[in-house]
Amino acid sequence: MASERSYSPADRLLLQADAALRTLLPFTGQPFRPSPADGQPDAEFKPEDARHIAGLMRINHTGEVCAQALYQGQALTAKLPEVREAMEHAAEEEIDHLAWCEQRIRELGSRPSILNPVFYGLSFGVGAMAGLISDRVSLGFVAATEDQVCKHLDEHLEQLPADDARSRAILEQMRIDEEQHATSALEAGGLRFPAPVKFGMTLLSKVMTRSTYRV
């Protein structure tokens, strides 16, 4: 994990570039934990059901691309070392989610969204800006974002076919992790965003989900 004594600002920029490549290039993000889908039975799906499941998992994969970029941007501009380290640790767990979702998408005969580089760049910029404002705002943004992610995961769990144990296992573990990220961010002093800000974030998240379901 990066630390103030180990890396210069130039080193950190190179690490950010490396993180972007590992996030966006296929099969380059190596998970730290085995996939929750391992050991779960697979099922035969009608073509339209398989496309729907793949679309849901593609949305979640892009969500993890956004989360990875958000954390990397925040880590780059965080003021306090402990906040930077917390962001980097959360980013490591998001790599697990990224790899799990990509594996499941490929199993279903589909591919991740071609829009991922665009969403990575936008999310990195938002994360870096939040970090520049203050660590409290940065942590609050994490909590609000993870709340949005949990809502999406709940919706997707309801839409999955009952016999899709592999996708369900992945999304259930992701929800546990994301909820913990939100709780940890608030406990670390994150700002609780007001309802209008959260509403705006919801509208932006709908743009992402609708555009990446098929593309």
Side-chain angles (χ1 to χ4, degrees):
M1 183 176 294
S3 68
E4 287 296 312
R5 293 181 299 174
S6 300
Y7 297 102
S8 68
D11 291 331
R12 285 194 171 278
L13 287 174
L14 292 175
L15 287 171
Q16 298 300 330
D18 178 70
L21 291 175
R22 287 188 289 109
T23 300
L24 296 172
L25 294 179
F27 300 111
T28 51
Q30 296 300 314
F32 294 88
R33 296 172 290 174
S35 172
D38 292 349
Q40 296 291 337
D42 208 347
E44 292 291 332
F45 301 107
K46 296 178 181 179
E48 58 270 24
D49 290 337
R51 285 194 295 270
H52 179 58
I53 298 168
L56 295 179
M57 297 306 290
R58 183 159 45 247
I59 290 171
N60 290 307
H61 181 269
T62 298
E64 296 307 319
V65 168
C66 293
Q68 184 69 208
L70 181 70
Y71 285 129
Q72 294 295 343
Q74 290 169 314
L76 184 66
T77 57
K79 311 283 191 303
L80 299 175
E82 57 267 29
V83 173
R84 177 176 290 115
E85 291 176 3
M87 296 298 179
E88 290 167 345
H89 175 71
E92 289 179 357
E93 289 194 344
E94 300 295 351
I95 290 176
D96 288 348
H97 302 169
L98 195 73
W100 299 344
C101 288
E102 180 175 1
Q103 179 184 9
R104 185 58 180 149
I105 291 169
R106 302 290 185 183
E107 289 175 355
L108 292 162
S110 192
R111 50 151 182 78
S113 174
I114 61 175
L115 300 175
N116 282 344
V118 176
F119 285 112
Y120 186 97
L122 292 173
S123 299
F124 184 89
V126 169
M129 186 180 301
L132 284 172
I133 295 172
S134 75
D135 286 338
R136 190 167 179 237
V137 168
S138 185
L139 289 166
F141 200 86
V142 168
T145 299
E146 298 295 18
D147 283 344
Q148 293 290 327
V149 172
C150 287
K151 290 177 182 177
H152 286 154
L153 291 171
D154 288 340
E155 293 172 0
H156 292 178
L157 283 166
E158 290 181 1
Q159 295 182 48
L160 286 177
D163 54 350
D164 188 4
R166 294 180 67 80
S167 299
R168 186 171 301 279
I170 293 171
L171 298 190
E172 286 176 344
Q173 184 58 54
M174 285 172 59
R175 197 195 187 292
I176 292 172
D177 293 342
E178 306 295 11
E179 190 171 32
Q180 182 58 52
H181 292 166
T183 301
S184 297
L186 291 175
E187 290 177 347
L191 179 68
R192 292 184 182 273
F193 284 5
V197 174
K198 290 185 176 181
F199 179 72
M201 293 174 66
T202 298
L203 293 179
L204 290 174
S205 71
K206 289 184 181 298
V207 173
M208 184 273 285
T209 57
R210 291 178 180 176
S211 60
T212 58
Y213 178 76
R214 299 184 185 280
V215 181

